[in-house]
Amino acid sequence: MPDIKLRRLPDRTPVKITITLSPELKKALDAYCKFYEKAYGRAEQPAEVASAILAHFLESDRAFQRSRPTAEHGTSSD
């Protein structure tokens, strides 16, 4: 291991996927984007907001996090 405090940065290459939303979920996502803009004074694209929501959901699911090997969720010692 190199003599450096900072761990190797993870791969941050964006991966594009396509999903299909129900009309109700699309309306809710659009409403959330407006709510976000009012809260922070900055508009964000629905895809960016959806990505952040999904990441937050996965990170906050303790059962899911416990089920993952440590290297997958950033606790490895590369």
Side-chain angles (χ1 to χ4, degrees), residues 18-44:
T18 302
I19 62 169
T20 302
L21 304 176
S22 68
E24 296 83 14
L25 186 53
K26 175 65 168 100
K27 279 184 185 179
L29 181 58
D30 290 342
Y32 195 90
C33 288
K34 289 178 184 174
F35 180 68
Y36 179 95
E37 184 176 3
K38 282 183 181 179
Y40 294 108
R42 177 182 170 145
E44 294 289 349

Side-chain angles (χ1 to χ4, degrees), residues 3-71:
D3 188 23
I4 183 172
K5 286 191 178 253
L6 182 65
R7 290 185 180 168
R8 180 179 299 174
L9 297 176
D11 182 8
R12 296 176 314 278
T13 305
V15 177
K16 184 174 182 172
I17 65 169
T18 302
I19 62 169
T20 302
L21 304 176
S22 68
E24 296 83 14
L25 186 53
K26 175 65 168 100
K27 279 184 185 179
L29 181 58
D30 290 342
Y32 195 90
C33 288
K34 289 178 184 174
F35 180 68
Y36 179 95
E37 184 176 3
K38 282 183 181 179
Y40 294 108
R42 177 182 170 145
E44 294 289 349
Q45 294 297 312
E48 293 296 323
V49 172
S51 179
I53 290 170
L54 184 56
H56 178 77
F57 175 84
L58 293 175
E59 290 167 7
S60 66
D61 188 321
R62 291 181 181 164
F64 174 65
Q65 291 300 327
R66 283 191 306 268
S67 76
R68 299 176 74 196
T70 57

